[in-house]
Short mmCIF file of all heavy atoms in Angstrom, two decimals:
data_model
loop_
_atom_site.label_atom_id
_atom_site.label_comp_id
_atom_site.label_asym_id
_atom_site.label_seq_id
_atom_site.Cartn_x
_atom_site.Cartn_y
_atom_site.Cartn_z
N MET Y 1 27.12 -103.45 116.17
CA MET Y 1 26.65 -104.67 115.46
C MET Y 1 26.12 -105.65 116.50
O MET Y 1 26.80 -105.95 117.47
CB MET Y 1 27.81 -105.27 114.67
CG MET Y 1 27.39 -106.42 113.78
SD MET Y 1 28.77 -107.02 112.79
CE MET Y 1 29.17 -105.59 111.80
N PRO Y 2 24.93 -106.12 116.32
CA PRO Y 2 24.36 -107.01 117.34
C PRO Y 2 25.07 -108.36 117.36
O PRO Y 2 25.65 -108.80 116.37
CB PRO Y 2 22.90 -107.17 116.91
CG PRO Y 2 22.90 -106.85 115.46
CD PRO Y 2 24.00 -105.86 115.25
N ARG Y 3 24.97 -108.97 118.49
CA ARG Y 3 25.59 -110.28 118.68
C ARG Y 3 24.49 -111.33 118.83
O ARG Y 3 23.50 -111.11 119.51
CB ARG Y 3 26.47 -110.27 119.93
CG ARG Y 3 27.22 -111.59 120.11
CD ARG Y 3 28.19 -111.48 121.26
NE ARG Y 3 27.51 -111.20 122.51
CZ ARG Y 3 28.12 -110.80 123.61
NH1 ARG Y 3 29.40 -110.58 123.60
NH2 ARG Y 3 27.43 -110.57 124.70
N TYR Y 4 24.70 -112.43 118.18
CA TYR Y 4 23.70 -113.49 118.20
C TYR Y 4 24.32 -114.75 118.78
O TYR Y 4 25.47 -115.08 118.50
CB TYR Y 4 23.18 -113.76 116.79
CG TYR Y 4 22.53 -112.54 116.17
CD1 TYR Y 4 23.25 -111.68 115.36
CD2 TYR Y 4 21.19 -112.24 116.44
CE1 TYR Y 4 22.66 -110.56 114.81
CE2 TYR Y 4 20.60 -111.12 115.90
CZ TYR Y 4 21.34 -110.28 115.08
OH TYR Y 4 20.75 -109.17 114.55
N ASP Y 5 23.51 -115.42 119.55
CA ASP Y 5 23.95 -116.67 120.15
C ASP Y 5 23.38 -117.83 119.35
O ASP Y 5 22.21 -117.82 118.97
CB ASP Y 5 23.47 -116.76 121.61
CG ASP Y 5 24.14 -115.70 122.47
OD1 ASP Y 5 25.28 -115.33 122.17
OD2 ASP Y 5 23.50 -115.25 123.43
N PHE Y 6 24.21 -118.79 119.14
CA PHE Y 6 23.78 -119.99 118.42
C PHE Y 6 24.15 -121.21 119.24
O PHE Y 6 25.06 -121.19 120.07
CB PHE Y 6 24.48 -120.09 117.05
CG PHE Y 6 24.04 -119.03 116.07
CD1 PHE Y 6 24.62 -117.77 116.08
CD2 PHE Y 6 23.04 -119.31 115.16
CE1 PHE Y 6 24.21 -116.79 115.19
CE2 PHE Y 6 22.62 -118.32 114.26
CZ PHE Y 6 23.21 -117.08 114.28
N ARG Y 7 23.42 -122.28 118.98
CA ARG Y 7 23.76 -123.54 119.63
C ARG Y 7 23.81 -124.62 118.56
O ARG Y 7 22.94 -124.69 117.69
CB ARG Y 7 22.74 -123.91 120.70
CG ARG Y 7 23.15 -125.14 121.50
CD ARG Y 7 22.25 -125.36 122.68
NE ARG Y 7 20.91 -125.75 122.25
CZ ARG Y 7 20.55 -127.00 122.01
NH1 ARG Y 7 21.40 -127.98 122.13
NH2 ARG Y 7 19.32 -127.26 121.63
N CYS Y 8 24.81 -125.42 118.64
CA CYS Y 8 24.98 -126.50 117.69
C CYS Y 8 24.17 -127.70 118.17
O CYS Y 8 24.25 -128.09 119.33
CB CYS Y 8 26.46 -126.86 117.56
SG CYS Y 8 26.72 -128.28 116.47
N ARG Y 9 23.39 -128.23 117.27
CA ARG Y 9 22.58 -129.39 117.64
C ARG Y 9 23.35 -130.70 117.43
O ARG Y 9 22.85 -131.77 117.77
CB ARG Y 9 21.28 -129.40 116.83
CG ARG Y 9 20.37 -128.27 117.27
CD ARG Y 9 18.94 -128.47 116.82
NE ARG Y 9 18.79 -128.39 115.37
CZ ARG Y 9 17.62 -128.41 114.76
NH1 ARG Y 9 16.50 -128.49 115.46
NH2 ARG Y 9 17.55 -128.33 113.46
N SER Y 10 24.50 -130.58 116.85
CA SER Y 10 25.30 -131.78 116.63
C SER Y 10 26.18 -132.09 117.85
O SER Y 10 26.25 -133.22 118.29
CB SER Y 10 26.17 -131.61 115.39
OG SER Y 10 25.35 -131.53 114.23
N CYS Y 11 26.81 -131.06 118.37
CA CYS Y 11 27.72 -131.28 119.50
C CYS Y 11 27.29 -130.52 120.75
O CYS Y 11 27.87 -130.70 121.80
CB CYS Y 11 29.15 -130.90 119.11
SG CYS Y 11 29.40 -129.13 118.84
N GLY Y 12 26.27 -129.67 120.61
CA GLY Y 12 25.74 -128.98 121.78
C GLY Y 12 26.52 -127.74 122.16
O GLY Y 12 26.21 -127.11 123.16
N ALA Y 13 27.50 -127.39 121.38
CA ALA Y 13 28.29 -126.20 121.70
C ALA Y 13 27.48 -124.95 121.44
O ALA Y 13 26.64 -124.91 120.55
CB ALA Y 13 29.57 -126.19 120.87
N THR Y 14 27.72 -123.95 122.26
CA THR Y 14 27.11 -122.65 122.03
C THR Y 14 28.21 -121.68 121.62
O THR Y 14 29.34 -121.75 122.10
CB THR Y 14 26.41 -122.12 123.28
OG1 THR Y 14 27.32 -122.07 124.36
CG2 THR Y 14 25.25 -123.02 123.65
N PHE Y 15 27.85 -120.78 120.73
CA PHE Y 15 28.83 -119.82 120.26
C PHE Y 15 28.13 -118.54 119.88
O PHE Y 15 26.90 -118.51 119.73
CB PHE Y 15 29.64 -120.39 119.09
CG PHE Y 15 28.78 -120.86 117.93
CD1 PHE Y 15 28.61 -120.05 116.81
CD2 PHE Y 15 28.16 -122.09 117.97
CE1 PHE Y 15 27.83 -120.47 115.75
CE2 PHE Y 15 27.37 -122.52 116.90
CZ PHE Y 15 27.21 -121.71 115.80
N GLU Y 16 28.91 -117.49 119.75
CA GLU Y 16 28.36 -116.17 119.45
C GLU Y 16 28.92 -115.68 118.13
O GLU Y 16 30.06 -115.97 117.77
CB GLU Y 16 28.74 -115.18 120.55
CG GLU Y 16 28.20 -115.58 121.91
CD GLU Y 16 28.75 -114.68 123.00
OE1 GLU Y 16 29.76 -114.00 122.75
OE2 GLU Y 16 28.17 -114.66 124.09
N LEU Y 17 28.07 -114.93 117.44
CA LEU Y 17 28.50 -114.34 116.19
C LEU Y 17 28.08 -112.88 116.16
O LEU Y 17 26.96 -112.55 116.54
CB LEU Y 17 27.88 -115.06 114.99
CG LEU Y 17 28.39 -116.47 114.69
CD1 LEU Y 17 27.65 -117.04 113.49
CD2 LEU Y 17 29.88 -116.45 114.41
N ASN Y 18 28.98 -112.05 115.72
CA ASN Y 18 28.63 -110.65 115.46
C ASN Y 18 28.35 -110.50 113.97
O ASN Y 18 29.20 -110.80 113.14
CB ASN Y 18 29.78 -109.73 115.87
CG ASN Y 18 29.96 -109.70 117.37
OD1 ASN Y 18 29.02 -109.40 118.09
ND2 ASN Y 18 31.13 -110.05 117.84
N ARG Y 19 27.15 -110.08 113.69
CA ARG Y 19 26.78 -109.94 112.28
C ARG Y 19 25.73 -108.86 112.14
O ARG Y 19 25.02 -108.54 113.08
CB ARG Y 19 26.25 -111.27 111.74
CG ARG Y 19 25.14 -111.84 112.59
CD ARG Y 19 24.40 -112.97 111.93
NE ARG Y 19 25.31 -113.99 111.38
CZ ARG Y 19 24.89 -115.13 110.86
NH1 ARG Y 19 23.60 -115.38 110.84
NH2 ARG Y 19 25.72 -116.00 110.38
N PRO Y 20 25.63 -108.29 110.94
CA PRO Y 20 24.60 -107.26 110.74
C PRO Y 20 23.21 -107.84 110.92
O PRO Y 20 22.98 -109.03 110.69
CB PRO Y 20 24.83 -106.81 109.29
CG PRO Y 20 26.19 -107.30 108.93
CD PRO Y 20 26.43 -108.52 109.77
N MET Y 21 22.28 -106.99 111.30
CA MET Y 21 20.91 -107.46 111.51
C MET Y 21 20.33 -108.03 110.22
O MET Y 21 19.48 -108.91 110.25
CB MET Y 21 20.04 -106.31 112.01
CG MET Y 21 20.41 -105.86 113.42
SD MET Y 21 19.26 -104.62 114.06
CE MET Y 21 17.81 -105.64 114.36
N ALA Y 22 20.80 -107.50 109.10
CA ALA Y 22 20.28 -107.97 107.83
C ALA Y 22 20.61 -109.44 107.60
O ALA Y 22 19.95 -110.11 106.81
CB ALA Y 22 20.84 -107.14 106.69
N ARG Y 23 21.62 -109.91 108.33
CA ARG Y 23 22.01 -111.30 108.16
C ARG Y 23 21.73 -112.12 109.41
O ARG Y 23 22.31 -113.18 109.63
CB ARG Y 23 23.50 -111.37 107.82
CG ARG Y 23 23.84 -110.63 106.54
CD ARG Y 23 25.25 -110.93 106.11
NE ARG Y 23 25.42 -112.35 105.85
CZ ARG Y 23 26.58 -112.90 105.49
NH1 ARG Y 23 27.64 -112.16 105.36
NH2 ARG Y 23 26.66 -114.19 105.27
N ALA Y 24 20.82 -111.62 110.21
CA ALA Y 24 20.54 -112.28 111.49
C ALA Y 24 20.06 -113.71 111.30
O ALA Y 24 20.34 -114.58 112.11
CB ALA Y 24 19.51 -111.49 112.27
N ASN Y 25 19.35 -113.93 110.22
CA ASN Y 25 18.75 -115.25 110.02
C ASN Y 25 19.57 -116.13 109.09
O ASN Y 25 19.12 -117.20 108.70
CB ASN Y 25 17.34 -115.10 109.47
CG ASN Y 25 16.42 -114.47 110.50
OD1 ASN Y 25 16.49 -114.80 111.68
ND2 ASN Y 25 15.55 -113.58 110.07
N ASP Y 26 20.74 -115.68 108.76
CA ASP Y 26 21.59 -116.53 107.94
C ASP Y 26 22.03 -117.75 108.74
O ASP Y 26 22.17 -117.67 109.96
CB ASP Y 26 22.82 -115.75 107.49
CG ASP Y 26 22.52 -114.83 106.32
OD1 ASP Y 26 21.33 -114.66 106.03
OD2 ASP Y 26 23.47 -114.30 105.73
N PRO Y 27 22.23 -118.84 108.08
CA PRO Y 27 22.69 -120.02 108.79
C PRO Y 27 24.09 -119.81 109.35
O PRO Y 27 24.92 -119.14 108.74
CB PRO Y 27 22.66 -121.12 107.73
CG PRO Y 27 22.72 -120.40 106.42
CD PRO Y 27 22.04 -119.10 106.65
N ALA Y 28 24.31 -120.34 110.52
CA ALA Y 28 25.62 -120.23 111.15
C ALA Y 28 26.22 -121.63 111.26
O ALA Y 28 25.51 -122.62 111.40
CB ALA Y 28 25.49 -119.60 112.53
N THR Y 29 27.50 -121.66 111.17
CA THR Y 29 28.20 -122.93 111.28
C THR Y 29 28.92 -123.01 112.61
O THR Y 29 29.57 -122.05 113.03
CB THR Y 29 29.21 -123.09 110.12
OG1 THR Y 29 28.52 -122.98 108.89
CG2 THR Y 29 29.89 -124.44 110.19
N CYS Y 30 28.77 -124.13 113.26
CA CYS Y 30 29.44 -124.39 114.52
C CYS Y 30 30.95 -124.26 114.35
O CYS Y 30 31.48 -124.58 113.29
CB CYS Y 30 29.06 -125.79 114.99
SG CYS Y 30 30.04 -126.41 116.35
N PRO Y 31 31.63 -123.78 115.40
CA PRO Y 31 33.10 -123.72 115.32
C PRO Y 31 33.72 -125.07 115.00
O PRO Y 31 34.84 -125.14 114.48
CB PRO Y 31 33.51 -123.23 116.72
CG PRO Y 31 32.33 -122.49 117.22
CD PRO Y 31 31.13 -123.19 116.64
N GLU Y 32 32.99 -126.13 115.30
CA GLU Y 32 33.50 -127.46 115.00
C GLU Y 32 33.17 -127.87 113.57
O GLU Y 32 33.56 -128.95 113.12
CB GLU Y 32 32.90 -128.48 115.97
CG GLU Y 32 33.23 -128.19 117.43
CD GLU Y 32 34.72 -128.29 117.71
OE1 GLU Y 32 35.40 -129.07 117.03
OE2 GLU Y 32 35.21 -127.56 118.58
N GLY Y 33 32.42 -127.02 112.89
CA GLY Y 33 32.12 -127.30 111.48
C GLY Y 33 30.77 -127.94 111.24
O GLY Y 33 30.45 -128.30 110.12
N HIS Y 34 29.95 -128.02 112.29
CA HIS Y 34 28.63 -128.62 112.11
C HIS Y 34 27.64 -127.57 111.59
O HIS Y 34 27.56 -126.48 112.16
CB HIS Y 34 28.11 -129.19 113.44
CG HIS Y 34 29.08 -130.13 114.08
ND1 HIS Y 34 29.46 -130.03 115.40
CD2 HIS Y 34 29.74 -131.19 113.57
CE1 HIS Y 34 30.32 -131.00 115.67
NE2 HIS Y 34 30.52 -131.72 114.59
N PRO Y 35 26.91 -127.89 110.58
CA PRO Y 35 25.98 -126.90 110.01
C PRO Y 35 24.62 -126.88 110.71
O PRO Y 35 23.81 -125.99 110.46
CB PRO Y 35 25.83 -127.37 108.56
CG PRO Y 35 26.03 -128.85 108.62
CD PRO Y 35 27.00 -129.09 109.74
N ASP Y 36 24.35 -127.84 111.56
CA ASP Y 36 23.03 -127.94 112.17
C ASP Y 36 23.00 -127.12 113.46
O ASP Y 36 23.24 -127.61 114.55
CB ASP Y 36 22.72 -129.41 112.46
CG ASP Y 36 21.28 -129.58 112.90
OD1 ASP Y 36 20.50 -128.61 112.80
OD2 ASP Y 36 20.92 -130.69 113.35
N THR Y 37 22.72 -125.82 113.30
CA THR Y 37 22.72 -124.93 114.46
C THR Y 37 21.39 -124.21 114.55
O THR Y 37 20.65 -124.09 113.57
CB THR Y 37 23.85 -123.89 114.36
OG1 THR Y 37 23.67 -123.10 113.17
CG2 THR Y 37 25.22 -124.57 114.28
N VAL Y 38 21.09 -123.75 115.73
CA VAL Y 38 19.87 -122.98 115.95
C VAL Y 38 20.26 -121.66 116.60
O VAL Y 38 21.19 -121.59 117.41
CB VAL Y 38 18.87 -123.74 116.83
CG1 VAL Y 38 18.33 -124.95 116.10
CG2 VAL Y 38 19.49 -124.15 118.14
N LYS Y 39 19.52 -120.62 116.24
CA LYS Y 39 19.78 -119.30 116.83
C LYS Y 39 19.01 -119.18 118.13
O LYS Y 39 17.83 -119.49 118.20
CB LYS Y 39 19.36 -118.20 115.85
CG LYS Y 39 19.77 -116.82 116.34
CD LYS Y 39 19.77 -115.80 115.20
CE LYS Y 39 18.38 -115.47 114.71
NZ LYS Y 39 17.62 -114.68 115.69
N LEU Y 40 19.70 -118.75 119.15
CA LEU Y 40 19.07 -118.58 120.45
C LEU Y 40 18.56 -117.16 120.59
O LEU Y 40 18.97 -116.26 119.86
CB LEU Y 40 20.09 -118.86 121.56
CG LEU Y 40 20.76 -120.24 121.50
CD1 LEU Y 40 21.78 -120.36 122.61
CD2 LEU Y 40 19.72 -121.34 121.61
N LEU Y 41 17.67 -117.00 121.54
CA LEU Y 41 17.17 -115.66 121.79
C LEU Y 41 18.30 -114.78 122.29
O LEU Y 41 19.10 -115.18 123.11
CB LEU Y 41 16.05 -115.70 122.84
CG LEU Y 41 14.76 -116.38 122.37
CD1 LEU Y 41 13.76 -116.43 123.52
CD2 LEU Y 41 14.16 -115.62 121.21
N SER Y 42 18.32 -113.58 121.79
CA SER Y 42 19.38 -112.66 122.18
C SER Y 42 19.23 -112.30 123.65
O SER Y 42 18.13 -112.16 124.16
CB SER Y 42 19.31 -111.42 121.32
OG SER Y 42 20.25 -110.48 121.77
N THR Y 43 20.36 -112.15 124.28
CA THR Y 43 20.35 -111.74 125.69
C THR Y 43 20.85 -110.32 125.84
O THR Y 43 21.22 -109.89 126.90
CB THR Y 43 21.22 -112.69 126.52
OG1 THR Y 43 22.53 -112.71 125.97
CG2 THR Y 43 20.66 -114.09 126.51
N VAL Y 44 20.82 -109.59 124.73
CA VAL Y 44 21.27 -108.20 124.78
C VAL Y 44 20.34 -107.40 125.69
O VAL Y 44 19.11 -107.50 125.58
CB VAL Y 44 21.29 -107.60 123.37
CG1 VAL Y 44 21.65 -106.11 123.44
CG2 VAL Y 44 22.28 -108.34 122.49
N ALA Y 45 20.91 -106.66 126.56
CA ALA Y 45 20.10 -105.89 127.51
C ALA Y 45 19.31 -104.82 126.76
O ALA Y 45 19.84 -104.13 125.89
CB ALA Y 45 21.00 -105.23 128.55
N VAL Y 46 18.06 -104.74 127.10
CA VAL Y 46 17.20 -103.74 126.48
C VAL Y 46 16.93 -102.64 127.50
O VAL Y 46 16.40 -102.89 128.57
CB VAL Y 46 15.87 -104.37 126.02
CG1 VAL Y 46 14.96 -103.29 125.45
CG2 VAL Y 46 16.14 -105.46 125.01
N THR Y 47 17.31 -101.44 127.13
CA THR Y 47 17.08 -100.32 128.04
C THR Y 47 15.84 -99.56 127.63
O THR Y 47 15.34 -99.71 126.52
CB THR Y 47 18.28 -99.37 128.04
OG1 THR Y 47 18.49 -98.91 126.71
CG2 THR Y 47 19.52 -100.06 128.54
N GLY Y 48 15.33 -98.74 128.50
CA GLY Y 48 14.15 -97.95 128.17
C GLY Y 48 13.03 -98.19 129.15
O GLY Y 48 12.18 -97.34 129.34
N ALA Y 49 13.01 -99.36 129.75
CA ALA Y 49 11.95 -99.67 130.70
C ALA Y 49 12.56 -99.81 132.09
O ALA Y 49 12.30 -100.76 132.82
CB ALA Y 49 11.22 -100.94 130.31
N ALA Y 50 13.40 -98.88 132.41
CA ALA Y 50 14.07 -98.95 133.70
C ALA Y 50 13.04 -98.91 134.84
O ALA Y 50 12.00 -98.26 134.74
CB ALA Y 50 15.05 -97.79 133.84
N ALA Y 51 13.38 -99.63 135.86
CA ALA Y 51 12.48 -99.66 137.00
C ALA Y 51 12.43 -98.29 137.65
O ALA Y 51 13.45 -97.68 137.93
CB ALA Y 51 12.96 -100.70 138.01
N SER Y 52 11.24 -97.81 137.84
CA SER Y 52 11.07 -96.51 138.47
C SER Y 52 9.93 -96.61 139.46
O SER Y 52 8.78 -96.40 139.13
CB SER Y 52 10.78 -95.43 137.43
OG SER Y 52 9.61 -95.74 136.73
N ALA Y 53 10.27 -96.97 140.66
CA ALA Y 53 9.23 -97.11 141.69
C ALA Y 53 8.64 -95.75 142.00
O ALA Y 53 9.36 -94.76 142.08
CB ALA Y 53 9.84 -97.72 142.95
N PRO Y 54 7.36 -95.70 142.15
CA PRO Y 54 6.72 -94.42 142.47
C PRO Y 54 7.15 -93.95 143.85
O PRO Y 54 7.28 -94.73 144.77
CB PRO Y 54 5.22 -94.73 142.42
CG PRO Y 54 5.14 -96.21 142.64
CD PRO Y 54 6.41 -96.79 142.04
N ALA Y 55 7.35 -92.65 143.95
CA ALA Y 55 7.75 -92.09 145.24
C ALA Y 55 6.59 -92.23 146.22
O ALA Y 55 5.43 -92.04 145.85
CB ALA Y 55 8.12 -90.61 145.07
N PRO Y 56 6.90 -92.58 147.44
CA PRO Y 56 5.82 -92.73 148.43
C PRO Y 56 5.15 -91.40 148.72
O PRO Y 56 5.80 -90.37 148.82
CB PRO Y 56 6.55 -93.28 149.67
CG PRO Y 56 7.98 -92.85 149.48
CD PRO Y 56 8.21 -92.85 147.99
N ALA Y 57 3.85 -91.47 148.82
CA ALA Y 57 3.10 -90.25 149.12
C ALA Y 57 3.38 -89.79 150.55
O ALA Y 57 3.79 -90.56 151.40
CB ALA Y 57 1.61 -90.50 148.94
N GLY Y 58 3.18 -88.55 150.79
CA GLY Y 58 3.39 -88.05 152.14
C GLY Y 58 4.31 -86.83 152.12
O GLY Y 58 4.69 -86.34 151.07
N GLY Y 59 4.67 -86.39 153.26
CA GLY Y 59 5.51 -85.22 153.35
C GLY Y 59 4.63 -83.98 153.30
O GLY Y 59 3.75 -83.86 152.45
N GLY Y 60 4.84 -83.10 154.19
CA GLY Y 60 4.00 -81.91 154.22
C GLY Y 60 2.72 -82.21 154.99
O GLY Y 60 2.31 -83.36 155.14
N GLY Y 61 2.11 -81.19 155.46
CA GLY Y 61 0.89 -81.39 156.21
C GLY Y 61 1.18 -82.06 157.55
O GLY Y 61 2.25 -81.87 158.11
N GLY Y 62 0.26 -82.85 157.99
CA GLY Y 62 0.47 -83.50 159.29
C GLY Y 62 0.13 -82.55 160.42
O GLY Y 62 -0.12 -81.35 160.21
N CYS Y 63 0.18 -83.08 161.57
CA CYS Y 63 -0.23 -82.31 162.74
C CYS Y 63 0.62 -81.08 162.96
O CYS Y 63 0.14 -79.98 163.14
CB CYS Y 63 -0.17 -83.21 163.98
SG CYS Y 63 -0.59 -82.36 165.53
N CYS Y 64 1.95 -81.27 162.92
CA CYS Y 64 2.84 -80.16 163.25
C CYS Y 64 2.94 -79.14 162.15
O CYS Y 64 3.61 -78.12 162.33
CB CYS Y 64 4.22 -80.71 163.60
SG CYS Y 64 4.23 -81.74 165.08
N GLY Y 65 2.30 -79.42 161.02
CA GLY Y 65 2.40 -78.47 159.95
C GLY Y 65 1.53 -77.26 160.17
O GLY Y 65 1.73 -76.23 159.57
N GLY Y 66 0.58 -77.38 161.01
CA GLY Y 66 -0.37 -76.29 161.19
C GLY Y 66 -0.22 -75.56 162.50
O GLY Y 66 -1.04 -74.71 162.85
N GLY Y 67 0.79 -75.94 163.25
CA GLY Y 67 1.01 -75.24 164.51
C GLY Y 67 0.16 -75.78 165.63
O GLY Y 67 0.05 -75.17 166.70
N CYS Y 68 -0.45 -76.93 165.44
CA CYS Y 68 -1.30 -77.48 166.50
C CYS Y 68 -0.50 -78.12 167.60
O CYS Y 68 -1.05 -78.50 168.63
CB CYS Y 68 -2.30 -78.48 165.92
SG CYS Y 68 -1.52 -79.93 165.23
N CYS Y 69 0.82 -78.27 167.39
CA CYS Y 69 1.63 -78.97 168.37
C CYS Y 69 2.38 -77.99 169.26
O CYS Y 69 3.16 -78.37 170.11
CB CYS Y 69 2.64 -79.89 167.68
SG CYS Y 69 1.86 -81.25 166.81
N GLY Y 70 2.24 -76.84 169.07
CA GLY Y 70 3.06 -76.00 169.88
C GLY Y 70 2.37 -74.71 170.19
O GLY Y 70 2.80 -73.96 170.98
ZN1 LIG H 101 29.01 -128.53 116.62
#
């Protein structure tokens, strides 16, 4: 179940709620009871675009590969 971050505009408190995605946009109430809250962007880590640096070219060939050095 995804977790959503909210911030209360009345007292400035931030809090988290676990709720189904179907209710992601439902209004949330501050733990202090204030109804004026805003949903923050989720900070859930998104996988799939892992950094994959290209391997450096090279290896093989070169001078000593052909017996020219010895
Ligand atoms: Zn509040």
Side-chain angles (χ1 to χ4, degrees):
M1 187 176 297
R3 184 174 61 194
Y4 300 94
D5 294 329
F6 292 85
R7 186 171 69 87
C8 176
R9 290 197 293 187
S10 294
C11 68
T14 56
F15 56 100
E16 299 172 343
L17 289 179
N18 291 304
R19 53 167 49 174
M21 292 186 72
R23 300 190 61 182
N25 293 319
D26 281 11
T29 303
C30 168
E32 300 296 330
H34 306 131
D36 189 9
T37 60
V38 292
K39 187 162 70 71
L40 304 177
L41 292 177
S42 175
T43 56
V44 175
V46 177
T47 58
S52 60
C63 177
C64 296
C68 65
C69 293

